[in-house]
Amino acid sequence: MTNNFTASTGTLYMCATPIGNLEDMTPRALRMLSEADLIAAEDTRHTLGLLNHFEIKGRLVRYDEHSKEKQGAYLLEQLLAGKNVALVSDAGFPGIADPGEALAKEAIDAGIKVVPVPGANAALCALVASGISAYPFFFGGFLPKSKKNRREQIEAWKYIPATIILYEAPHRIEEVLKDLLESWGDRELACARELTKLHEEFYRGTISSCLEHFKENPPRGEFCLVIAQGEAQTEFVEEINPLDEVKQLIAAGMDKKAALSQVAKHRKIPKRELYNQLLQEGDEA
């Protein structure tokens, strides 16, 4: 991978769009969408409505999970030819829990400049208004759809020493909460739905009390769960070797550098010491 880019290539702009309230659209994002040669969208019909609202004319190209291989190659070709591409998701920041992540990586590998155009993000909105510690936090996105894979993933993340943020659909939220309760115990939780929209709502309590809440209030809308670190986590972390803790965080999906930094800070030991131990075990840097 390289961080260098060629001046003759175009630029890929990762443009955040509102997650509900259209007033969250930034002037910079509007300008990028107006000036881009192409607008790559997860759902072109949804994005067309957004563009029409702001009276923006643009050439829309579909780029979603099903078309990313073919369309990604086309968009890279356009970028290499000097065209500027604005990438948007259905809502929020592209590249977070959506196929935009793949296009950004491919563009960087091809020496194309990738520029973030910040704006609304559901995970951070839920986190800052949750009342739960925001540092450190771990973003897990959507859990696997199959029950078996979901439970395996939940178990793998059980001892992550951080606040955990998850996205979930209304028809699966209760089953997910039951799986979390069974694996992690009854942790403090904030459950946010319809963020920035007319019916925005936060439920703050515990996993079990949230399940009780849904008995009287059937879940509707997209959910963001903010789940506090459990007490059992801290006890477990203290019992294991620091290097093993690093390996567990990496296995759970955390970036190697972030895992090293987190464990080194928590254990009050030099980051370089842990890094050297990984190298000694044949883990390439």
Side-chain angles (χ1 to χ4, degrees):
M1 183 183 294
T2 177
N3 290 320
N4 299 320
F5 58 89
T6 306
S8 60
T9 64
T11 299
L12 174 63
Y13 293 97
M14 309 287 283
C15 292
T17 54
I19 59 176
N21 194 321
L22 292 178
E23 292 181 10
D24 291 333
M25 191 71 176
T26 70
R28 185 183 176 205
L30 290 173
R31 180 170 64 83
M32 292 298 101
L33 291 173
S34 298
E35 296 177 358
D37 296 297
L38 293 95
I39 300 171
E42 196 173 2
D43 184 334
T44 52
R45 290 174 298 178
H46 177 86
T47 301
L48 182 60
L50 179 73
L51 297 179
N52 288 339
H53 177 83
F54 289 106
E55 300 182 345
I56 295 173
K57 304 293 183 183
R59 182 182 168 192
L60 273 171
V61 176
R62 191 175 187 87
Y63 179 83
D64 59 15
E65 191 63 40
H66 304 291
S67 65
K68 67 180 182 182
E69 187 172 338
K70 179 180 177 181
Q71 292 294 79
Y74 170 73
L75 291 170
L76 284 176
E77 182 182 287
Q78 297 299 304
L79 286 160
L80 289 168
K83 303 291 186 182
N84 292 327
V85 175
L87 176 67
V88 299
S89 67
D90 286 347
F93 231 140
I96 298 178
D98 78 16
E101 177 182 1
L103 184 60
K105 184 180 186 306
E106 290 167 1
I108 291 167
D109 288 345
I112 295 164
K113 187 174 184 180
V114 176
V115 174
V117 182
N121 172 262
L124 294 180
C125 285
L127 179 63
V128 299
S130 68
I132 296 173
S133 176
Y135 180 81
F137 74 85
F138 172 82
F139 175 68
F142 289 99
L143 288 165
K145 292 181 180 179
S146 82
K147 183 178 292 186
K148 178 178 181 294
N149 293 339
R150 182 177 71 228
R151 288 179 173 176
E152 288 177 352
Q153 187 65 84
I154 287 172
E155 191 64 27
W157 288 346
K158 184 174 183 177
Y159 294 113
I160 290 178
T163 293
I164 296 177
I165 305 173
L166 301 172
Y167 289 159
E168 199 47 76
H171 61 281
R172 284 195 301 268
I173 186 72
E174 290 180 274
E175 288 303 312
V176 166
L177 288 173
K178 290 174 184 176
D179 288 344
L180 290 171
L181 182 60
E182 181 180 341
S183 176
W184 295 358
D186 203 11
R187 299 188 188 181
E188 183 185 1
L189 161 146
C191 184
R193 75 178 190 95
E194 299 293 273
L195 286 162
T196 78
K197 299 178 184 177
L198 180 63
H199 299 292
E200 175 181 285
E201 181 182 39
F202 276 83
Y203 177 83
R204 301 176 180 90
T206 62
I207 297 175
S208 63
S209 67
C210 189
L211 280 166
E212 289 297 318
H213 171 76
F214 284 142
K215 289 180 180 179
E216 300 293 329
N217 304 273
R220 294 173 182 164
E222 297 300 312
F223 286 88
C224 187
L225 299 173
V226 181
I227 306 156
Q229 175 181 339
E231 291 182 8
Q233 271 183 300
T234 304
E235 294 169 4
F236 178 85
V237 166
E238 295 302 330
E239 292 173 0
I240 66 173
N241 181 282
L243 184 58
D244 289 337
E245 186 182 342
V246 172
K247 291 178 180 177
Q248 286 180 355
L249 292 174
I250 293 172
M254 185 177 287
D255 176 76
K256 184 188 296 183
K257 290 182 179 179
L260 285 165
S261 296
Q262 182 166 304
V263 175
K265 182 174 181 179
H266 176 69
R267 298 300 189 94
K268 296 181 173 56
I269 56 179
K271 179 181 174 182
R272 173 59 61 179
E273 181 180 317
L274 285 175
Y275 179 75
N276 287 338
Q277 288 179 40
L278 281 177
L279 288 180
Q280 287 171 10
E281 292 197 5
D283 189 346
E284 293 292 330

